């Protein structure tokens, strides 16, 4: 309950930031996983509030997805629920005037597509992935140039696989055709489990920033930049790892903002790089927010 969201603003393409607002958590809950989205001239923010209890696989936390809005970045409306109890919205994406979010169920049991006409009132749509044994959660949506909707589903697997240091690493690949009333999940990325993913297009190329599990007998993590190719006309997707951003320990949950067609500001958090702690130790220690710039034109 002593957590808060801090809002920062940059007017120089991310070289410097100034805090403009602080959003305190409700008195009996924490607050986490914020993400901006735009509705007309209004800047909105979604976040998750949860009971402050120790939990594995997001169980018994009574998640409520909340929203708030601003017209100046300084004054924000009060927190209001925008989703049902027990469901965590990931990132909100707009397509053809409709807003969409993948939401995962408390206990990491299933992922469902939600939609909204105004970004405020949401309705449940079709299931995206429902095999609870795979522990599906954070699911990044990407609207492809051909109109298809791509959903990349993080899967933590069984108890042995949970930390990502042993066992298979997988990200499920799911597709829906307009009007996005049903999904099929014919394939997966084998060997990559992309935690906390964020996707973006640059010069017609699709990139994802997400947490990478190094394995090799160690519980070490990085935040990596990936590129996804293929997928046209329902073809197979391929993934390329362009390497790690400066990162260690508990790390991931990137943000992306375009400067121009090929340059992007990227933010992420990381434990101390020199110590490079194991993930389980990094999660209970301090982390720093990092900021960098990606020049897509140099990735060839």
């Amino acid at each position: 309950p002593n957590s808060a969201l801090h809002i920062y603003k940059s007017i120089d393409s991310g070289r410097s930031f100034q805090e403009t607002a602080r959003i305190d958590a409700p008195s009996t809950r924490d607050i986490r996983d914020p993400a901006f989205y735009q509705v007309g001239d209004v800047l909105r923010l979604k976040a998750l509030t949860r009971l402050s209890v120790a939990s594995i696989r997001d169980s018994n936390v009574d998640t409520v997805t909340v929203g708030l809005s601003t017209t100046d970045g300084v004054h924000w409306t009060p927190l209001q629920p925008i989703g049902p109890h027990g469901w965590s919205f990931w990132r909100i994406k707009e397509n053809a005037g409709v807003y969409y979010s993948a939401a995962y169920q408390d206990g990491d049991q299933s992922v469902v597509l939600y939609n909204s006409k105004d970004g405020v009132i949401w309705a449940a749509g079709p299931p995206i992935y429902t095999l609870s044994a795979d522990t599906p959660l954070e699911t990044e949506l990407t609207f492809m140039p051909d109109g298809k909707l791509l959903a990349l589903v993080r899967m933590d697997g069984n108890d042995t696989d949970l930390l990502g240091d042993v066992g298979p690493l997988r990200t499920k690949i799911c597709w829906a055709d307009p009007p996005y009333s049903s999904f099929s999940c014919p394939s997966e990325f084998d060997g990559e489990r992309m935690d906390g993913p964020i996707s973006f297009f640059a010069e017609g190329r699709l990139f994802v920033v997400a947490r990478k599990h190094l394995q090799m007998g160690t519980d070490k993590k990085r935040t990596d930049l990936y590129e996804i190719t293929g997928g046209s006309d329902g073809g197979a997707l391929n993934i390329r790892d362009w390497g790690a951003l400066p990162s260690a320990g508990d790390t991931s949950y990137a943000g992306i903002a375009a400067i121009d067609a090929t340059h992007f500001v990227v933010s992420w958090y990381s434990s101390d790089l020199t110590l490079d702690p194991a993930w389980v130790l990094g999660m209970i220690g301090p982390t720093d927010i990092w900021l960098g710039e990606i020049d897509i034109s140099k990735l060839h």
Side-chain angles (χ1 to χ4, degrees):
N2 64 345
S3 59
L5 306 182
H6 293 254
I7 311 297
Y8 292 85
K9 177 182 179 180
S10 174
I11 59 174
D12 56 7
S13 298
R15 287 185 289 274
S16 64
F17 281 82
Q18 180 179 2
E19 185 170 351
T20 62
R22 170 178 166 147
I23 312 298
D24 289 321
S27 59
T28 60
R29 291 172 167 263
D30 70 14
I31 193 165
R32 61 177 70 197
D33 287 12
F36 292 117
Y37 62 106
Q38 188 95 8
V39 180
D41 295 331
V42 177
L43 179 64
R44 294 195 58 85
L45 183 70
K46 79 86 194 174
L48 308 179
T49 66
R50 291 178 174 174
L51 297 177
S52 301
V53 297
S55 172
I56 297 178
R57 302 178 190 273
D58 305 309
S59 300
N60 305 312
V61 293
D62 187 35
T63 302
V64 177
T65 301
V66 295
L68 59 163
S69 64
T70 185
T71 56
D72 60 9
V74 177
H75 304 92
W76 291 80
T77 60
L79 296 171
Q80 295 291 337
I82 61 173
H85 283 250
W87 290 89
S88 298
F89 283 24
W90 191 235
R91 302 185 198 278
I92 293 171
K93 302 291 183 74
E94 182 271 338
N95 183 65
V98 180
Y99 299 86
Y100 298 88
S101 180
Y104 57 96
Q105 188 179 14
D106 281 359
D108 300 341
Q109 302 177 68
S110 64
V111 181
V112 168
L113 183 69
Y114 276 73
N115 65 84
S116 172
K117 294 181 179 179
D118 60 4
V120 179
I121 300 174
W122 292 81
I128 297 175
Y129 194 71
T130 59
L131 186 58
S132 60
D134 282 337
T135 312
L137 59 163
E138 302 151 352
T139 296
E140 178 74 348
L141 301 178
T142 305
F143 290 94
M144 304 297 281
D146 62 2
K148 293 180 181 291
L149 176 54
L150 168 65
L152 299 175
V153 184
R154 169 183 171 180
M155 298 189 299
D156 283 5
N158 60 33
D159 289 345
T160 301
D161 306 335
L162 185 62
L163 292 180
D165 53 342
V166 297
L169 299 172
R170 300 176 299 140
T171 300
K172 185 61 71 172
I173 301 169
C174 300
W175 295 97
D177 293 316
Y180 316 120
S181 57
S182 64
F183 282 82
S184 63
C185 303
S187 59
E188 58 192 37
F189 290 130
D190 185 14
E192 295 289 356
R193 187 181 102 189
M194 294 189 285
D195 298 2
I198 183 170
S199 63
F200 65 102
F201 278 102
E203 299 283 271
R205 301 162 67 183
L206 176 58
F207 295 90
V208 177
V209 181
R211 179 160 54 219
K212 181 180 179 68
H213 304 265
L214 298 184
Q215 290 199 332
M216 298 180 295
T218 179
D219 182 24
K220 297 294 180 71
K221 314 298 178 186
R222 298 292 185 264
T223 292
D224 278 34
L225 174 66
Y226 298 91
E227 182 174 2
I228 295 175
T229 59
S232 59
D233 299 323
L237 292 180
N238 302 300
I239 187 169
R240 175 173 182 173
D241 188 348
W242 282 103
L245 307 176
S247 52
D250 191 16
T251 181
S252 184
Y253 293 84
I256 291 286
I259 300 174
D260 56 34
T262 60
H263 295 82
F264 293 79
V265 174
V266 56
S267 64
W268 68 99
Y269 73 81
S270 173
S271 302
D272 184 272
L273 301 187
T274 302
L275 294 177
D276 193 10
W279 188 24
V280 291
L281 296 177
M283 283 190 283
I284 60 175
T287 58
D288 296 312
I289 296 174
W290 282 70
L291 198 71
E293 183 178 311
I294 299 173
D295 183 354
I296 297 301
S297 68
K298 295 182 178 180
L299 299 181
H300 293 289

